[in-house]
Amino acid sequence: MNILKYNNAKLTQLKKDKVFLNLNELSKQDIVKISDKYPFSFQDLRQLSIIATDLYMWNESGVRDCIEEFENVQNKDLSKKEVIAHVKNYWEGLRGAKIKYEPVNKNEVERPKPRKVQLSDQENEVFGMCPVASEKTVCCNLMTIDAVQGCSLGCSYCSIQTFYSDGKVSVDKNLAEKLANIPLDPSKNYHIGSGQSSDSLVIGNKEGVLDAQLKFARENPNIILEFKTKSNNISHLLKTDLPDNVFVCWSLNPQLFIDHEEHGTASLNQRLQAAKDLSRKGVLVGFHFHPIVYYEGYEDDYKNIVRKVMSMFKPSEVAMISMGTLTFIKPAINKLRSTGLKSKVLQIPMADAVGKSSYTKEIKKEIFSTVYDQFQPWHKDVFLYLCMEESSVWESVFGSYYKDNVDFETALFDSVSAKMNKLEIV
Ligand code: SF4
């Protein structure tokens, strides 16, 4: 076989493929270079390009370095099969190990630019089911309001940034009217989350987006409305009269993770301080430990956050605490890869999680139990739950699970609304 002719044909095909086109120049050159040496098939080259994308994003040495090192150690002619197997082992080894995050020099981190907020008059429905809920997982039947589309916080694991990449954030022009027309059954209770396609608070009350939702909450006492944020933009909520069926939850993660993967968000301390400030106003707050990430040193970092939360708040001030982790659907993985951002969120085992990709159940048990056990003094007084997890994971962490999602929904609603009724909003 004329290897050069053979490889030229494969490379011509590869150069039209999105996976290869998406590589940075250096990685492209590396793939071309190694294809001179071995008779890789098109699929081999495509697979190596995917691995090269991951290694670049994870800040690891590239595919070519990995092969050359192997060649030096082996010191013999290698078959393409041996070479591919070695690269895959290396890649899978990294995915199975804890992520390593180095301390970040914050001056070198580029924060995402604020996005322009604009009004939109799309025909879309604003009310729907939680977009990631599934029959196959134990779910809380959360409903969502899609008031704002697009987010400028730029979390590397979030698919919202890949859906709304036009650089804008849109607020529905007819939001108040659409909210008023949601056909709620007055004999039912609803837990509604604001911010399906954005952060609930980051744009504040621009275009009246918060006022419209507060009015909706005020007019529907059978709902509990949750604002969910990674910002500390609570100024509007502090100066506004709030209905007592509204509560605000913060996603919490260790500062090291925030520095690496949540570039445009408020720091951990700013989030906790914002929660404290609203809590002082008499607003119920909550916390989402989501995603909990398996990295070197994660145990101490998460335990420290739990200690801090328990020292800053009383259980009566905290509506609920959820735990979840990195879980991806295939298109989201491809989209994240296509961003080429430096990020380690795809450096996970990608074990099957009822059709999605995540950590193995063993790792999930470990990370969720680390946080849950640390909250032991609060177990009886605060509603703790897992988000997007199947019953066997619940069982391994809590020792039980809700057999029916309606039971879960009712337990969460009753627990949160009972606390709301005892608080006095000032
Ligand atoms: S448990 Fe999580 S994924 Fe399931 S409905 Fe509730 S918020 Fe959505």
Side-chain angles (χ1 to χ4, degrees), residues 130 132-133 138-142 385-388 408:
C130 167
V132 287
V138 181
C139 266
C140 70
N141 288 346
L142 176 75
Y385 68 97
L386 293 175
C387 175
M388 236 198 298
F408 181 7

Side-chain angles (χ1 to χ4, degrees), residues 283-339:
V283 179
L284 207 54
V285 297
F287 302 105
H288 296 289
F289 288 75
H290 200 167
I292 302 175
V293 179
Y294 191 57
Y295 68 86
E296 282 186 5
Y298 89 92
E299 300 94 327
D300 286 347
D301 288 355
Y302 282 95
K303 283 180 185 175
N304 283 337
I305 302 180
V306 174
R307 279 189 209 107
K308 205 160 186 177
V309 167
M310 289 198 296
S311 71
M312 287 178 77
F313 301 89
K314 290 192 246 148
S316 59
E317 295 166 338
V318 178
M320 61 190 200
I321 289 166
S322 79
M323 295 175 289
T325 191
L326 295 166
T327 305
F328 299 104
I329 51 171
K330 214 165 176 210
I333 297 173
N334 293 339
K335 281 201 167 171
L336 289 178
R337 280 199 177 115
S338 75
T339 65

Side-chain angles (χ1 to χ4, degrees), residues 22 30 33 58 97 130 146 195 206 209 239 312 324 332 385 402:
N22 194 43
D30 282 353
K33 208 83 198 154
W58 306 344
C130 167
D146 198 10
K206 287 211 174 109
V209 66
K239 64 183 184 222
M312 287 178 77
Y385 68 97
Y402 293 100

